[in-house]
Amino acid sequence: MSKVYMQEGQLVVPDQVTVPFIEGDGVGAEITPVCQKIVNEAVELAYQGRRSIEWKEVLAGGKAFEQTGEWLPEATMEAFREYLIGIKGPLTTPVGGGIRSLNVALRQSLDLYVCLRPVRWFKGVVSPVKEPQKVNMHIFRENTEDIYAGIEWEQGTPEAEKFFAFLRDEMGVTKVRFPETSSFGVKPVSVEGSKRLVRSAIQYALQHHLPSVTLVHKGNIMKFTEGGFKRWGYEVAEQEFGEYTFTMSQFDRLKKELGEESARACMADAVNKGKIVVKDCICDAFLQNTLLTPEDYSVIATLNLNGDYVSDQLAAMVGGIGIAPGANINYQTGHAIFEATHGTAPNIAGKNVVNPCSLLLSSVMLLEYIGWQEAAVRITAALEKAFGRGEATPDLARFMPNGQPMGTTEFGEKIVSLLVEA
């Protein structure tokens, strides 16, 4: 078996490829083998033996701690560095010490600066919104900065006291209302981190022929961090992709120079020529707009905390996080870890009821990432058929008018059987 590698900025994928995987804690032991079986069958049907995947288990989380005494062994990190791509089930976060978050540690260690979360609706899945078919978005969440950098000091500690003294004495800060009882956190947002995220979002929109990229931010309040993200994002669009984009900052300049009617005519001309519209929206307004006019949005580029909120709301709009896939990617080095976006769900672990679709759709993203589109399409088509018939695990089937609840294993077997028809 062989490894994926980068050559002149492009992924090189052998026909027989090794994929490291973390089984995951809790329900991970149930969903991982089901997904691997489906992927193996889809690859076999699509390529008739010419291509295949060898699954290489690596350890993290509770299973790793039990076997090695470490939550995230260096051997696991080395495997992801060496093989470039991988996939993981949900992981337990250590309580009372150790790593703040295993997921964040993986993203930080490998500099997986993009969290990509595509959100779409499957016919047959019940949604809390009236027209879920209008939701078709691709979220680019910055993965390494913002408050997830973990720079904090707890109230009452010497570090918090020292930090406040610096703010007061050196920086002249007077706006901390209760300094003696305040905890403090620092939110780093860099030019480089913001630009590479937006750059990836625009390149993705171009490659997939998508109409717009929206910069979602809270720059009206955090003017130098979130506001900087917006400004730097527009700079990337205009300076690096000016031939392919029309930005709302351009529109505003044209409006001042030529008037609104002429500015709108210029924008319409750009759209007719196939240019991507790059716009921005304040995060709270964006969350409202996704419920009212979701069809207005396609690719979303946003900072870490905003992306956390946005991705979960959009997942709920199409039926829940159980069918929400995710990937953590560094497009520069090629490293990518695909993942289930839900937790370990210990309350249902071992009961054969968990929905494997988050991890399965993340597996589809993995196949698409390495260019094995034919296998990816088969899995997506099989899911569409199953959901259209009301065949799903209990979390989805209970809301379907013709719902037929199936166990995790049985649902996996159903999807395998439908791959042949795809």
Side-chain angles (χ1 to χ4, degrees):
M1 291 300 197
S2 303
K3 305 168 188 174
V4 175
Y5 63 95
M6 287 285 280
Q7 182 173 304
E8 298 180 354
Q10 299 294 321
L11 278 183
V12 179
V13 182
D15 286 338
Q16 285 73 44
V17 62
T18 300
V19 177
F21 74 94
I22 297 169
E23 179 183 73
D25 298 318
V27 295
E30 295 169 83
I31 61 176
T32 295
V34 166
C35 292
Q36 289 176 347
K37 182 177 180 180
I38 294 169
V39 170
N40 289 342
E41 185 66 20
V43 169
E44 173 61 29
L45 287 168
Y47 306 113
Q48 299 296 306
R50 290 183 290 107
R51 289 176 171 172
S52 62
I53 294 175
E54 177 190 55
W55 301 99
K56 175 183 173 66
E57 185 172 12
V58 294
L59 300 176
K63 190 172 182 179
F65 191 76
E66 290 173 7
Q67 295 187 23
T68 70
E70 298 179 273
W71 290 98
L72 185 57
E74 178 56 30
T76 296
M77 296 304 304
E78 187 55 38
F80 286 133
R81 291 189 194 102
E82 182 179 356
Y83 290 91
L84 287 194
I85 60 171
I87 192 164
K88 57 176 280 295
L91 293 175
T92 298
T93 296
V95 177
I99 296 173
R100 174 187 293 261
S101 164
L102 292 171
N103 294 324
V104 172
L106 285 165
R107 295 165 187 165
Q108 295 276 355
S109 298
L110 295 170
D111 196 24
L112 304 174
Y113 60 88
V114 169
C115 180
L116 174 56
R117 295 276 296 269
V119 182
R120 58 152 291 186
W121 178 68
F122 286 88
K123 185 177 181 180
V125 175
V126 176
S127 162
V129 298
K130 289 174 64 176
E131 297 181 293
Q133 74 278 4
K134 292 183 176 181
V135 180
N136 187 9
M137 299 185 212
H138 310 258
I139 305 155
F140 277 68
R141 169 189 173 189
E142 203 290 319
N143 231 356
T144 63
E145 298 189 318
D146 202 351
I147 65 169
Y148 289 78
I151 307 170
E152 288 189 298
W153 298 277
E154 186 179 5
Q155 69 86 22
T157 63
E159 292 80 8
E161 184 178 346
K162 185 176 181 180
F163 183 73
F164 173 68
F166 172 78
L167 292 178
R168 180 192 61 210
D169 301 337
E170 302 295 328
M171 304 301 292
V173 172
T174 60
K175 295 181 180 179
V176 182
R177 187 168 297 243
F178 303 109
E180 291 80 13
T181 57
S182 291
S183 295
F184 296 94
V186 174
K187 174 189 177 80
V189 177
S190 69
V191 175
E192 295 89 346
S194 299
K195 284 191 171 183
R196 68 180 182 175
L197 186 280
V198 176
R199 184 178 299 116
S200 296
I202 294 174
Q203 288 171 337
Y204 184 92
L206 287 168
Q207 290 165 3
H208 293 83
H209 308 289
L210 298 170
S212 68
V213 174
T214 304
L215 310 174
V216 174
H217 61 92
K218 193 64 179 169
N220 58 326
I221 302 299
M222 291 171 276
K223 299 185 184 299
F224 305 123
T225 51
E226 305 256 344
F229 175 82
K230 169 192 168 183
R231 184 171 70 255
W232 303 323
Y234 276 135
E235 287 177 4
V236 168
E238 294 181 11
Q239 295 171 10
E240 300 181 25
F241 299 94
E243 183 181 351
Y244 308 104
T245 64
F246 182 89
T247 72
M248 291 311 293
S249 57
Q250 286 177 279
F251 176 83
D252 290 338
R253 291 195 296 270
L254 290 169
K255 184 177 175 182
K256 288 180 181 179
E257 295 171 8
L258 306 174
E260 183 169 350
E261 185 175 345
S262 295
R264 291 197 178 280
C266 290
M267 182 167 68
D269 181 61
V271 171
N272 289 335
K273 290 178 179 177
K275 288 193 174 185
I276 293 170
V277 174
V278 179
K279 53 190 174 178
D280 74 276
C281 190
I282 294 172
C283 191
D284 46 339
F286 174 77
L287 291 170
Q288 174 185 236
N289 293 347
T290 57
L291 291 168
L292 299 174
T293 56
E295 66 274 16
D296 289 347
Y297 301 102
S298 180
V299 178
I300 312 304
T302 190
L303 288 167
N304 213 331
L305 183 60
N306 296 334
D308 203 354
Y309 299 148
V310 165
S311 56
D312 280 9
Q313 175 183 299
L314 293 178
M317 289 169 63
V318 297
I321 203 166
I323 53 172
N328 304 285
I329 303 171
N330 183 319
Y331 285 103
Q332 297 166 351
T333 66
H335 288 94
I337 298 179
F338 302 83
E339 64 181 355
T341 59
H342 55 74
T344 59
N347 58 315
I348 60 171
K351 297 182 179 179
N352 193 39
V353 296
V354 62
N355 183 351
C357 288
S358 175
L359 189 62
L360 181 57
L361 287 167
S362 296
S363 302
V364 169
M365 292 180 71
L366 186 156
L367 292 169
E368 292 171 340
Y369 185 72
I370 63 175
W372 293 11
Q373 303 289 346
E374 298 86 355
V377 166
R378 281 182 178 269
I379 297 173
T380 303
L383 284 172
E384 289 172 341
K385 287 184 179 180
F387 292 148
R389 299 173 182 178
E391 297 168 335
T393 46
D395 60 314
L396 298 179
R398 60 181 171 164
F399 297 116
M400 296 173 170
N402 59 337
Q404 303 170 49
M406 308 179 77
T408 307
T409 302
E410 292 72 26
F411 179 74
E413 292 171 350
K414 172 59 66 173
I415 298 301
V416 167
S417 71
L418 292 174
L419 291 173
V420 180
E421 302 175 18

